[in-house]
Amino acid sequence: MNNEKIAILIPCYNESLTIKKVINDFQKELPEADIYVYDNNSTDNTYEIAQSAGAIVKKEPRQGKGNVIRQMFFDIEADYYLMVDGDDTYPAENAQEMILSLREGRADMVIGDRLSNGTYFNENKRAFHDFGNNLVKNSINRLYKANIKDVMTGYRGFNRMFVKSFPVMSSGFQIETEFTIHALDKRFKLIEIPIDYRDRPEGSESKLDTYSDGIKVLLTILKMFKDYKPLLFFSILSFIFFVFGLIFGIPVINEFIHTGFITKIPSSILASGLMVFSLLLLVTGLILDTVVTNTKKEYELNLYRLYEKYNQIRNL
């Protein structure tokens, strides 16, 4: 594998306390890899420390982890990619195992699973984070009939096919949820490797806000549910309005059957409107389901073309 290229991707915002150790740890574990640090408007000296530690450092002015990852995927050419946070919460010791899974073709995306061995719950003391992780994980697993243990981890490995065919839509840290949903929806091969998570060192602060960022993640799941599975999404909405239509409509129908007259005019109008809206939602779901199916077909064809092109480049 002399010609293969490995890239370590480290998006950073104010990580001056930890970035040098993160870079040094991965230099030790993967000395052949190129380490890229993209500084996202840090107000400390993260940029200078990363540069002096030997990383390839660039600045990304658009705030948000999703924006940083998007630019990294645009800029960086490699065979295998390892994405890790700059806060020293993820161990470099798992890097070889994660890259090996990609190299052997057992995975298109490798997930560094913080949750299975319990280290995340022991180390992370922030309120409601356990609840939020489980809510997101269970929602996605039910939606895709999957069994992913850690949906929101920031420690992941990718092969080139995944990176160059992944459309980054989120601007913030919701990108991690987007990775998982995209991989499940597009049938990429996934492997989870349990890792020992460690909390941030003293003096290093998380950039996440438990409540507002939690809401953003839930909204991202809802939006991707609508985008990826529109028939199910709109069918559920259609059923809800259908039930409300029955609630308001049954007394009207019952009155008409017994008296031959309708005196509940407002209820009859409301029930009719709800039923019409229910039908429109169902038709919308059917139309969008056809659109999504055709889009998936086009994606598969483009993926095949990308695969052929990549193989030609590697064989040169």
Side-chain angles (χ1 to χ4, degrees), residues 169-192:
M169 304 302 293
S170 301
S171 61
F173 85 102
Q174 308 96 305
I175 184 71
E176 289 152 2
T177 306
E178 193 176 327
F179 279 134
T180 305
I181 293 177
H182 177 78
L184 290 171
D185 187 73
K186 296 302 187 292
R187 297 175 298 165
F188 282 103
K189 291 177 288 185
L190 302 182
I191 285 180
E192 290 187 287

Side-chain angles (χ1 to χ4, degrees), residues 102-130:
L102 298 169
R103 183 183 291 138
E104 293 179 345
R106 291 183 285 119
D108 298 302
M109 180 174 75
V110 184
I111 297 172
D113 171 18
R114 309 161 297 169
L115 306 182
S116 291
N117 59 12
T119 55
Y120 181 80
F121 303 112
N122 293 332
E123 293 287 331
N124 191 300
K125 308 302 181 185
R126 291 183 285 276
F128 296 108
H129 276 223
D130 296 351

Side-chain angles (χ1 to χ4, degrees), residues 146-175:
N147 189 31
I148 303 298
K149 302 292 192 303
D150 191 355
V151 170
M152 300 177 67
T153 179
Y155 196 15
R156 297 172 187 264
F158 314 99
N159 61 18
R160 181 183 174 86
M161 289 295 297
F162 187 94
V163 166
K164 297 304 179 182
S165 65
F166 177 72
V168 179
M169 304 302 293
S170 301
S171 61
F173 85 102
Q174 308 96 305
I175 184 71

